Amino acid sequence: GVRTLVSKIRTREVMIPYTSPDPKEDEELHSYLNEHDTKMIILHDDETLKLNCATINLLLGHMTGNADENDNSTVLFLDFADTDVLLCGDLSKVGEKKLIAEYPTLDTDIYSVGHHGSKYSACEEFLSQITPEASVISCAKKNKYGHPSEETIARLEKYGKIYYTMDSGNIIFTLDGEKYSVETKEAA
């Protein structure tokens, strides 16, 4: 997906988590980024990026053994004063349980729901730990997987408001350090 993004958006730097990439694929990506004057930065587990008053932490060491590919998703935690944001990629309940075992004090205000809100994401044990005020599910209307799952929606509703890209298109959260606001527009 990196190539598609770089071809559509002017990009100076791309940060990619280290996942023991295929050397040939890595070389091809590096070459592509060089052609587009884009620097590639490799991130490692538990790396912290500082952005003025905020920090972004790369969480969750990659799974080993026969873990599902979705549980090797990049998990990011943004800490900006009184507001915390958790971005879970395609994480399923297996990865969620590993995440809260490694980070037992993880609490969040805004949660980007893993795996497009499938029935395999947002398990109760995980939600009761992170207690999100707002959740975002990224999925298309009438997608072939039937995301989001009604079971997952029911679990999320206990914690706060749910925003769906299938209804709102882009969902923009503006953080000021104390509170956040949300801007949505009806999807086209």
Side-chain angles (χ1 to χ4, degrees):
V2 172
R3 288 180 181 97
T4 302
L5 288 172
V6 169
S7 72
K8 294 181 180 198
I9 301 169
R10 171 69 183 118
T11 310
R12 285 181 271 159
E13 294 180 341
V14 171
M15 296 179 191
I16 300 173
Y18 178 75
T19 58
S20 299
D22 172 348
K24 183 179 180 206
E25 183 180 326
D26 185 47
E27 187 178 306
E28 289 172 1
L29 178 58
H30 207 313
S31 176
Y32 180 84
L33 293 175
N34 281 339
E35 291 170 15
H36 288 82
D37 199 26
T38 302
K39 180 179 178 182
M40 182 166 72
I41 300 169
I42 304 292
L43 301 175
H44 298 275
D45 294 340
D46 295 322
E47 187 146 357
T48 299
L49 305 171
K50 297 202 182 293
L51 306 168
N52 295 329
C53 300
T55 58
I56 297 175
N57 296 292
L58 177 64
L59 304 180
L60 195 61
H62 282 64
M63 307 289 254
T64 57
N66 58 358
D68 183 278
E69 183 178 337
N70 291 327
D71 289 316
N72 280 327
S73 288
T74 300
V75 178
L76 299 173
F77 186 75
L78 169 71
D79 181 0
F80 179 57
D82 290 336
T83 306
D84 297 318
V85 181
L86 183 61
L87 307 164
C88 286
D90 275 339
L91 209 59
S92 75
K93 62 185 172 187
V94 172
E96 292 171 350
K97 289 178 180 181
K98 181 179 180 195
L99 184 64
I100 59 174
E102 290 187 26
Y103 302 95
T105 59
L106 199 59
D107 188 25
T108 189
D109 301 297
I110 303 165
Y111 165 47
S112 176
V113 179
H115 206 207
H116 311 283
S118 82
K119 67 181 179 180
Y120 303 109
S121 66
C123 71
E124 186 59 43
E125 183 180 349
F126 181 68
L127 292 174
S128 68
Q129 177 69 41
I130 68 166
T131 62
E133 292 176 14
S135 298
V136 177
I137 297 177
S138 176
C139 61
K141 283 186 182 186
K142 299 180 182 176
N143 61 78
K144 68 180 180 178
Y145 301 104
H147 298 334
S149 157
E150 291 299 323
E151 301 161 42
T152 299
I153 292 169
R155 289 191 298 270
L156 289 165
E157 285 176 335
K158 295 182 214 173
Y159 293 92
K161 180 134 176 75
I162 307 170
Y163 298 89
Y164 305 89
T165 59
M166 66 184 178
D167 296 332
S168 302
N170 288 335
I171 301 164
I172 301 167
F173 285 84
T174 303
L175 289 62
D176 70 7
E178 293 178 23
K179 59 189 181 310
Y180 61 87
S181 60
V182 185
E183 179 184 343
T184 63
K185 295 179 181 153
E186 193 159 328

